[in-house]
Amino acid sequence: MTVDSTEQYGFGTKAIHSGAPIDPHTGAVIEPISLSTTFAQSEPSKPLGIYEYSRSANPNRDNFEIAVASLEGAKYALALSSGSATTALVIQSLPINSHIISGGDVYGGTHRYFTQVGNTHGVEATFVGNLVQDLKANLRDNTRLVWLETPSNPTLSVTDIAKVTQILKDHEAETGNRVLLAVDNTFLSPYISNPLSHGADIVVHSVTKYINGHSDVVMGVLATNDDELHNRFRFLQNAIGSIPSPFDSWLAHRGLKTLHLRVRQASQTAQKIAEILAAHPLVSKVNYPGLKSHPNHDVVARQHRDGLGGGMISFRINGGANAASVFTSSTKLFTLAESLGGIESLVEVPAIMTHGGIPKAERESNGVYDDLVRVSVGIEETDDLIADIKQALEKAAA
Ligand SMILES: *Cc1c(COP(=O)(O)O)cnc(C)c1O
């Protein structure tokens, strides 16, 4: 693995130069895509270079991992075939019959994995509404992992990672039981937040979203500073085979090189849209971490770079499910679609789309009502996006 030598630089410089060596054979400034599945050996068990077989390691995957580790301030990163495969790998690394505690409004697929797949090797999940308040009371002798999404999806509640870390440290001091903290950082990307620096053990991403950022790759990544955890994850991934292709690794690495520009732009526009929504008579509630009215605005100020709110907004629209439907069908630049974090703006209704699989009562207890609209702000011109939101609100009001 090539070592990252960009430690002294700022984020944007790291994004462009870490894991991006000039090709020593041709001088190419952009790495070639290395499709070979196998690598020649000079004598049995003596590979010519550092690679043997592409499931175990591949140059494009290595370079992407070096870049992500650099941006997350981590010792190691491990790229996987999807965000969901990343979640699965973390859960599969736990001993049989482990207990995990998860935030309530997590990604729908994560909820599905915790409740309908993890149980096949005895993993039981408890979901709690507020990890800082409810974590201690829910810790058991066999609790091995806490899963946290901040901001949560789709209500964008923000959790103080350092507080959760402290609760787990106190628990370890009292009982001797180490409970790992995994933070799903997909919604913010490493540009806005670095959970490891606040005490998390593992940070995970759906690369599909901001890191790749162009809605053309499904991929995942995790990062950690812990040698033992990393070795276990790498061993398991090689055994299971949940690897991304060289081409996807290359594309995701290309996407990552503009992460700082994209996320900054999306955040700046989202801030303006959130403020307009908050003042609009048709909108009853706006969830956006960048608003001063956000319940955890003080945590945002500490935990997010420059207090940025990110590119995701959700809001409740007056007129119920029907108004939500008219609004999301009336936008012209915001495409009605699931997913988020791409260059193009998207809009959706979580209750019947991304979160449709969660029972209504549970959904609503997490704030996911039928009139909730989720917006992923892209990087089109700010004024065009604002005009589009305004005209769709007018149609929904009529
Ligand atoms: C999309 C997403 C995932 C799952 O990632 P895939 O790449 O779609 O498998 C996990 N967590 C969050 C927060 C997501 O948005």
Side-chain angles (χ1 to χ4, degrees):
M1 210 151 128
T2 346
V3 190
D4 176 36
S5 56
T6 63
E7 213 165 326
Q8 73 271 34
Y9 297 117
F11 190 98
T13 309
K14 285 181 180 167
I16 289 161
H17 290 288
S18 52
I22 286 166
D23 187 279
H25 307 294
T26 64
V29 295
I30 296 300
E31 63 172 328
I33 301 172
S34 177
L35 293 174
S36 189
T37 54
T38 190
F39 297 84
Q41 313 203 0
S42 56
E43 9 173 328
S45 206
K46 285 252 157 45
L48 289 180
I50 57 173
Y51 299 102
E52 278 174 52
Y53 183 62
S54 196
R55 173 162 33 74
S56 311
N58 163 279
N60 298 107
R61 188 158 27 115
D62 266 6
N63 283 336
F64 175 73
E65 288 172 351
I66 289 166
V68 171
S70 168
L71 299 186
E72 276 295 4
K75 209 161 154 187
Y76 308 106
L78 188 70
L80 291 104
S81 50
S82 68
S84 305
T86 314
T87 308
L89 192 81
V90 172
I91 300 307
Q92 293 205 23
S93 74
L94 301 174
I96 194 162
N97 298 330
S98 292
H99 174 241
I100 64 179
I101 300 174
S102 167
D105 47 351
V106 285
Y107 178 70
T110 302
H111 184 277
R112 178 174 57 210
Y113 196 90
F114 289 173
T115 54
Q116 297 181 55
V117 185
N119 54 354
T120 57
H121 85 271
V123 170
E124 191 194 339
T126 301
F127 294 91
V128 301
N130 181 324
L131 274 173
V132 171
Q133 271 169 33
D134 307 331
L135 176 56
K136 196 167 156 55
N138 283 286
L139 285 163
R140 303 181 193 166
D141 287 345
N142 65 334
T143 307
R144 295 284 171 263
L145 180 80
V146 170
W147 189 274
L148 165 60
E149 264 182 52
T150 180
S152 67
N153 178 12
T155 53
L156 301 160
S157 68
V158 170
T159 303
D160 190 331
I161 300 169
K163 277 202 178 139
V164 173
T165 306
Q166 193 54 50
I167 295 166
L168 297 180
K169 277 200 186 125
D170 293 346
H171 174 72
E172 186 174 359
E174 258 170 55
T175 64
N177 292 333
R178 180 174 180 209
V179 179
L180 299 173
L181 175 61
V183 175
D184 184 333
N185 197 25
T186 299
F187 268 40
L188 292 181
S189 91
Y191 181 67
I192 298 187
S193 176
N194 295 128
L196 300 180
S197 71
H198 301 285
D201 301 287
I202 307 159
V203 54
V204 308
H205 286 276
S206 169
V207 170
T208 318
K209 317 297 166 52
Y210 285 103
I211 291 182
N212 178 63
H214 294 71
S215 307
D216 49 14
V217 171
V218 173
M219 223 171 111
V221 73
L222 63 79
T224 182
N225 283 315
D226 187 304
D227 300 347
E228 212 174 294
L229 273 179
H230 175 72
N231 290 340
R232 173 121 185 96
F233 290 142
R234 203 166 268 286
F235 166 81
L236 272 177
Q237 183 192 37
N238 186 43
I240 295 167
S242 45
I243 54 154
S245 74
F247 185 54
D248 283 351
S249 302
W250 186 91
L251 273 178
H253 194 178
R254 179 168 78 160
L256 169 148
K257 290 175 187 176
T258 54
L259 180 65
H260 50 302
L261 302 178
R262 290 184 285 104
V263 171
R264 215 146 55 197
Q265 175 68 20
S267 266
Q268 280 162 5
T269 303
Q271 180 73 33
K272 290 192 178 141
I273 291 175
E275 283 165 10
I276 288 167
L277 289 170
H280 200 281
L282 198 68
V283 174
S284 63
K285 184 174 200 301
V286 180
N287 304 308
Y288 184 65
L291 289 179
K292 292 212 170 58
S293 59
H294 189 280
N296 287 107
H297 194 69
D298 57 322
V299 183
V300 173
R302 277 200 304 279
Q303 209 161 266
H304 295 196
R305 180 192 298 270
D306 303 331
L308 290 174
M312 299 299 295
I313 307 168
S314 66
F315 67 95
R316 294 186 68 183
I317 188 164
N318 293 333
N322 186 51
S325 172
V326 173
F327 176 84
T328 53
S329 310
S330 301
T331 49
K332 296 191 176 101
L333 292 173
F334 289 81
T335 302
L336 177 55
E338 300 191 358
S339 200
L340 61 115
I343 48 176
E344 71 294 318
S345 296
L346 302 176
V347 70
E348 66 126 358
V349 182
I352 51 172
M353 293 173 67
T354 47
H355 293 63
I358 302 174
K360 187 175 165 89
E362 190 181 342
R363 192 162 45 70
E364 294 200 336
S365 73
N366 286 317
V368 188
Y369 299 97
D370 294 345
D371 59 7
L372 188 77
V373 172
R374 189 184 82 175
V375 180
S376 172
V377 178
I379 61 169
E380 301 93 335
E381 292 293 342
T382 307
D383 290 346
D384 293 335
L385 293 179
I386 289 172
D388 195 31
I389 293 278
K390 284 184 174 165
Q391 67 82 22
L393 282 170
E394 270 165 36
K395 291 218 175 77

